[in-house]
Amino acid sequence: MLRNDDVRVVSSAIKIPLPSKRPTCPMRTAHSHIANATNSIAQLVNSFASHSTEFTRSVLQKSSLLCSATLSLTGDRKRACPIRRMASLSLSEEAQQKARQNEERVLISEVLVRNKDGEEMERKDLEAEAVQALKACRPNSALTVREVQEDVHRIINSGYFSSCMPVAVDTRDGIRLVFQVEPNQEFQGLVCEGANVLPAKFLENSMRDGYGKIINLRRLDEAISSINNWYMERGLFAMVSAVEILSGGILRLQVSEAEVNNISIRFLDRKTGEITMGKTKPETILRQITTKKGQVYSMLEGKRDVETVLTMGIMEDVSIIPQPEDTGKVDLVMNVVERPSGGFSAGGGISSGITNGPLRGLIGSFAYSHRNVFGKNQKLNISLERGQIDSVYRINYTDPWIQGDDRRTSRTIMIQNSRTPGTIVHGNADGNGSLTIGRITGGIEFSRPIRPKWSGTAGLVFQHAGVRDEKGIPIIKDCFSSPLTASGNTHDETLLAKLETVYTGSGDHGSSMFVLNMEKGLPLLPEWLSFTRVNARARKGVEIGPARLHLSISGGHVVGNFPPYEAFAIGGTNSVRGYEEGSVGSGRSYVVGSGEISFPMYGPVEGVIFSDYGTDLGSGPTVPGDPAGARKKPGSGYGYGFGIRVESPLGPLRLEYAFNDKKERRFHFGVGHRN
């Protein structure tokens, strides 16, 4: 056992005070036991006096100092309040040195252990425990007072006894040394106060082995440590703060659980670290965290709260500082450093719909974003993407958590004007030259978590779409006289009701993802299109030693009157590699599967081998105008190859070389993960 220099042994009660307060043991009872221990040592000194005058003087010096000797049980907050039982002599260093110089040894003829009344003990097992604890005191040995005192401490430290007094008896055979001990009570019951989150079953199990047995303070120390460890493993601010053995063998535990009293937000300057005024409303931050007033504070939950606030995207640094109060509760101060809330950005990328030459696929982007509109974490994004063929103008306004909603529902309002190449469906072999599909869309979406790892989205989107030739003139038929719109007009109009659910999971050995999307065209007006589209995709990653296996599958189907440009295009960088974009098929239905094995090469560079397969399930002819059949697309195909990937701030940069089943070869370059 470790030493504890403030130990008081009391026969009727043992208490561990709160660390911030003075010991709560009854002083009157403790004083009587200290007086008894002092008288016993004095008797021992008197017995030794007849054998050595010099030794008597040295012992008498110690006797005067022993009047201040105390024994108690205290808790150490830093060590989760384990009980430590060690006798402490309040001897000054100078007095200890002087007493040590004058120590003399006295021959002890006999050493006995008796009960507190000096009679033979009924419990021989307890007598054996006390005898086993003795180290220096043996029959026919020469002892000093210090060695006797140390053995008293050892008996107390065995944990079975609440008091121990050495008594010297002068007999005709010599000096008999008797240790009069008082055992602890038998454990008959448990009362625990203040444990609001500690499971009663755990508490019972930690104490069950000691029921009906003499209370051993060392075993009690272990039980209390297990309780404190239970709190510590869960990051809870709590501990056993007091222990008392009541009459009748009832053990009372007092548990202190630090409840959250108040939570405040403190904004710090990014450069100086000084307290400053923040732009974010405090209630916007507070509703993100799960720690609430009145809960027992958990450091693990606090860590999750810090991560949650960081995911808002408006904070550069977040930390939580607990500040204990005298009432036993704790105040929490969350220090936050805000990021710049808005700014301009520029970038570039590659369009997946361009098939002729890499330069034609390059696009540039310019955007303005504000991450914290009105100090409510609402986000405004205005962006422009422009290439030789592609162009996208987009305005998004997102409220990530609608005020007054308790289910974390977000709302996004979107307006977009886009122009994308029509080659993925209609190819390049037509007399109209390059076709472009123009879409003007606007809508609103609501998203929320459904359950752990699952989220859902519902929304309404209105779309005004049509096809133009390379001169920008609206057209309704291609060079094969096949229709390009479903309504027969230059533009189709559709009101889409959207439902989507997403699952994302991760573990020690891999990750998984599943997305199910359903769209329904609502014909509220006669000219509006009516069709239903279902699309699903799944991905699974598995760790295989240093390598990773990625499996993915996707599929979909459309029912109703839909335009050709809404058909599922198969082939390309994010579909079947080895083919140009959309050159495998364009169908009302489709299935695409892929398998990849990636392995580390050097630093952020990974190598990859892959194989893809896709098919329109024979649905190409059912698309209005049969654009796939007119362009002699096979309807199914596979590809395989190898490549490298490099991690970057934009996501993985993918360079791949693929072969298809027609013995054609093709490079593919992409940014980000495959769909």
Side-chain angles (χ1 to χ4, degrees):
M1 300 297 292
L2 299 177
R3 288 187 60 89
N4 189 318
D5 292 335
D6 185 16
V7 182
R8 176 174 300 139
V9 177
V10 182
S11 61
S12 61
I14 302 173
K15 295 187 178 181
I16 305 174
L18 287 169
S20 60
K21 300 180 180 180
R22 298 184 62 185
T24 58
C25 296
M27 294 303 296
R28 180 177 301 174
T29 306
H31 178 75
S32 65
H33 279 272
I34 294 169
N36 291 338
T38 303
N39 292 336
S40 178
I41 295 295
Q43 292 175 7
L44 183 65
V45 170
N46 292 334
S47 177
F48 288 168
S50 61
H51 295 269
S52 175
T53 304
E54 291 297 324
F55 184 76
T56 300
R57 279 200 293 266
S58 67
V59 172
L60 287 174
Q61 272 187 324
K62 291 183 179 180
S63 180
S64 63
L65 294 169
L66 282 172
C67 293
S68 61
T70 60
L71 301 176
S72 74
L73 291 174
T74 63
D76 184 350
R77 178 180 288 270
K78 294 182 179 179
R79 297 186 60 84
C81 189
I83 303 177
R84 304 302 183 193
R85 298 156 300 277
M86 289 299 291
S88 171
L89 298 180
S90 302
L91 298 175
S92 66
E93 184 177 353
E94 180 180 356
Q96 288 178 345
Q97 292 176 351
K98 186 175 180 181
R100 193 177 296 113
Q101 292 173 357
N102 295 328
E103 281 185 351
E104 292 189 10
R105 296 184 176 275
V106 174
L107 182 63
I108 301 297
S109 63
E110 189 178 9
V111 178
L112 299 176
V113 175
R114 295 290 184 261
N115 63 19
K116 65 177 182 178
D117 299 322
E119 300 174 353
E120 190 170 344
M121 296 186 64
E122 296 180 0
R123 294 281 301 268
K124 296 301 180 181
D125 56 335
L126 294 179
E127 181 179 340
E129 291 287 348
V131 171
Q132 186 177 359
L134 299 176
K135 298 299 181 183
C137 297
R138 292 286 187 262
N140 300 318
S141 59
L143 304 176
T144 64
V145 173
R146 177 177 298 277
E147 290 174 333
V148 175
Q149 293 164 354
E150 289 173 352
D151 270 353
V152 169
H153 300 163
R154 292 187 182 102
I155 291 176
I156 294 297
N157 286 337
S158 69
Y160 289 101
F161 306 98
S162 60
S163 67
C164 177
M165 297 184 184
V167 177
V169 180
D170 197 357
T171 68
R172 64 181 180 179
D173 296 327
I175 296 179
R176 176 190 299 158
L177 181 58
V178 180
F179 291 94
Q180 296 182 356
V181 297
E182 183 178 2
N184 295 324
Q185 302 179 64
E186 288 187 357
F187 179 45
Q188 298 296 333
L190 174 67
V191 176
C192 186
E193 300 175 358
N196 297 318
V197 299
L198 181 68
K201 192 68 175 178
F202 178 86
L203 187 61
E204 293 173 3
N205 292 337
S206 63
M207 297 293 184
R208 179 172 296 169
D209 292 342
Y211 186 80
K213 301 177 182 178
I214 293 293
I215 296 175
N216 185 295
L217 300 185
R218 298 181 65 177
R219 302 292 181 270
L220 180 59
D221 181 24
E222 295 173 359
I224 292 174
S225 295
S226 69
I227 295 173
N228 290 335
N229 288 337
W230 184 91
Y231 283 113
M232 188 179 301
E233 290 170 359
R234 288 153 182 79
L236 297 171
F237 265 35
M239 60 179 289
V240 178
S241 57
V243 181
E244 184 177 1
I245 302 176
L246 305 175
S247 59
I250 303 299
L251 183 64
R252 186 180 74 88
L253 298 183
Q254 179 65 47
V255 176
S256 296
E257 297 179 342
E259 294 183 357
V260 176
N261 180 49
N262 187 42
I263 306 175
S264 59
I265 306 297
R266 183 164 60 191
F267 295 91
L268 303 180
D269 187 84
R270 296 179 65 241
K271 297 180 179 179
T272 65
E274 300 293 331
I275 298 176
T276 185
M277 293 292 294
K279 298 178 181 178
T280 308
K281 296 183 180 298
E283 56 269 23
T284 300
I285 302 174
L286 291 175
R287 71 175 181 171
Q288 296 286 338
I289 65 178
T290 56
T291 301
K292 303 298 181 184
K293 183 176 181 179
Q295 294 179 352
V296 178
Y297 178 59
S298 167
M299 291 183 291
L300 297 181
E301 191 171 359
K303 181 181 179 181
R304 289 193 293 267
D305 288 339
V306 168
E307 294 172 350
T308 300
V309 174
L310 285 173
T311 57
M312 295 170 65
I314 58 176
M315 299 301 171
E316 191 172 279
D317 186 50
V318 180
S319 61
I320 294 179
I321 302 176
Q323 296 181 338
E325 296 291 320
D326 293 337
T327 59
K329 297 185 177 182
V330 61
D331 288 339
L332 301 181
V333 178
M334 177 175 282
N335 290 330
V336 296
V337 178
E338 292 180 303
R339 298 173 58 186
S341 56
F344 294 91
S345 62
I350 295 178
S351 170
S352 63
I354 304 298
T355 61
N356 292 332
L359 294 180
R360 296 190 66 192
L362 293 176
I363 58 175
S365 64
F366 183 79
Y368 170 79
S369 61
H370 197 294
R371 305 183 185 91
N372 197 12
V373 180
F374 307 126
K376 296 182 177 181
N377 194 32
Q378 298 176 2
K379 305 178 189 303
L380 172 66
N381 184 276
I382 303 173
S383 64
L384 164 64
E385 296 178 3
R386 191 75 170 88
Q388 290 183 327
I389 296 179
D390 294 58
S391 66
V392 179
Y393 304 89
R394 183 186 298 113
I395 300 176
N396 276 31
Y397 186 81
T398 301
D399 184 353
W401 192 344
I402 300 174
Q403 187 173 0
D405 179 81
D406 60 351
R407 298 188 179 182
R408 293 180 176 264
T409 303
S410 66
R411 175 181 57 223
T412 298
I413 300 174
M414 175 271 296
I415 300 175
Q416 178 175 293
N417 185 350
S418 66
R419 188 182 68 175
T420 57
T423 55
I424 59 175
V425 173
H426 300 283
N428 297 308
D430 54 60
N432 302 102
S434 297
L435 301 180
T436 58
I437 301 170
R439 293 181 175 90
I440 299 175
T441 57
I444 184 170
E445 292 182 352
F446 297 89
S447 300
R448 70 166 49 163
I450 301 175
R451 54 182 304 177
K453 301 181 180 181
W454 287 89
S455 62
T457 300
L460 284 175
V461 178
F462 180 80
Q463 177 177 277
H464 177 86
V467 181
R468 296 175 181 266
D469 62 16
E470 60 184 358
K471 297 180 180 180
I473 299 174
I475 56 176
I476 60 175
K477 291 188 177 182
D478 62 12
C479 64
F480 297 99
S481 297
S482 299
L484 296 174
T485 61
S487 63
N489 302 321
T490 57
H491 292 87
D492 294 323
E493 293 182 334
T494 311
L495 178 64
L496 291 172
K498 175 183 177 181
L499 288 174
E500 182 179 78
T501 182
V502 178
Y503 169 85
T504 55
S506 61
D508 297 335
H509 303 289
S511 60
S512 56
M513 181 271 295
F514 174 75
V515 179
L516 176 63
N517 180 283
M518 294 179 287
E519 294 176 327
K520 172 66 177 177
L522 304 177
L524 300 184
L525 295 179
E527 61 271 22
W528 288 4
L529 302 184
S530 174
F531 63 89
T532 302
R533 176 166 48 201
V534 179
N535 193 17
R537 64 182 187 273
R539 184 173 63 238
K540 177 68 176 179
V542 181
E543 300 283 346
I544 306 176
R548 290 194 300 271
L549 172 64
H550 300 273
L551 300 174
S552 64
I553 187 170
S554 59
H557 182 67
V558 182
V559 177
N561 182 27
F562 73 105
Y565 53 79
E566 295 289 358
F568 296 111
I570 308 168
T573 302
N574 290 318
S575 181
V576 180
R577 285 162 285 190
Y579 282 91
E580 293 185 358
E581 301 295 329
S583 61
V584 173
S586 305
R588 183 182 288 266
S589 305
Y590 87 104
V591 172
V592 172
S594 176
E596 295 182 350
I597 296 178
S598 61
F599 47 89
M601 295 180 62
Y602 180 77
V605 181
E606 286 186 335
V608 61
I609 56 176
F610 58 84
S611 177
D612 306 323
Y613 175 79
T615 175
D616 63 6
L617 300 175
S619 65
T622 64
V623 176
D626 188 13
R631 292 158 180 82
K632 301 186 183 305
K633 295 181 181 182
S636 65
Y638 65 86
Y640 57 92
F642 57 90
I644 60 172
R645 294 178 182 173
V646 181
E647 289 295 332
S648 74
L650 300 176
L653 303 179
R654 298 183 284 125
L655 178 61
E656 299 158 337
Y657 189 64
F659 305 83
N660 64 22
D661 52 342
K662 297 182 180 300
K663 309 302 180 182
E664 298 173 342
R665 294 170 290 181
R666 184 176 181 82
F667 277 104
H668 293 273
F669 181 75
V671 179
H673 296 283
R674 282 168 53 90
N675 294 333

